[in-house]
């Protein structure tokens, strides 16, 4: 297969510099050209959803899913920074992992995923 991975995710922002700072400060990700983000090896799902899905907000065309370590620790840090996170036991799957949702300052949905030990 000629595709070897996702080389980038590009999206519009009202204030790109402020959004970059938010992602760097609260999620530790570098979303700029000068500092490419070297991610850890692991699964990446590239999946279209039905137009009427309720898995994320109907006014959004995309949602990014970020693999994380220590979901509870990250949620505590986000809460301390005044960032609302949503959890739902129905989203968690023992064989896949645990999930939470946050939104960046421009309302873009972010799913946080802590893979289960040994998850694919």
């Amino acid at each position: 297969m000629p595709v070897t991975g996702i080389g980038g995710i590009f999206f519009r922002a009202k204030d790109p510099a402020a959004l970059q700072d938010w992602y760097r400060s609260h999620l530790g990700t570098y979303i700029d050209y000068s500092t490419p983000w070297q991610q850890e090896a692991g699964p990446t799902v590239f999946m279209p959803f039905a137009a009427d899905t309720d898995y994320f907000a109907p006014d959004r065309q995309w949602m990014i899913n970020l693999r994380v370590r220590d979901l509870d620790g990250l949620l505590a840090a986000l809460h301390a920074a005044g960032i609302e996170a949503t959890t739902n036991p129905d989203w968690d799957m023992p064989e896949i992992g645990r999930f939470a949702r946050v939104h960046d300052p421009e309302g873009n949905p972010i799913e946080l995923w802590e893979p289960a030990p040994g998850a694919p």
Side-chain angles (χ1 to χ4, degrees):
M1 175 169 220
V3 175
T4 61
I6 294 175
I9 299 172
F10 307 103
F11 57 100
R12 290 178 172 80
K14 295 174 188 152
D15 189 341
L19 206 52
Q20 286 174 333
D21 288 342
W22 185 89
Y23 275 87
R24 187 173 16 267
S25 296
H26 299 293
L27 299 178
T29 59
Y30 292 92
I31 59 170
D32 60 47
Y33 292 115
S34 64
T35 312
W37 174 25
Q38 298 297 319
Q39 60 179 320
E40 295 177 2
T44 299
V45 176
F46 183 66
M47 179 73 183
F49 281 73
D52 62 350
T53 186
D54 63 357
Y55 196 68
F56 52 93
D59 66 332
R60 298 297 170 165
Q61 292 298 308
W62 62 275
M63 176 175 68
I64 190 166
N65 171 294
L66 299 174
R67 278 182 273 123
V68 304
R69 280 177 283 170
D70 186 18
L71 181 60
D72 292 329
L74 177 55
L75 293 175
L78 292 169
H79 178 74
I83 298 168
E84 182 180 341
T86 303
T87 58
N88 182 332
D90 292 338
W91 298 338
D92 299 342
M93 295 174 271
E95 66 282 359
I96 302 296
R98 297 174 49 227
F99 298 87
R101 303 267 177 86
V102 298
H103 290 84
D104 72 19
E106 294 197 8
N108 297 308
I110 304 163
E111 184 172 63
L112 304 171
W113 170 42
E114 180 180 26

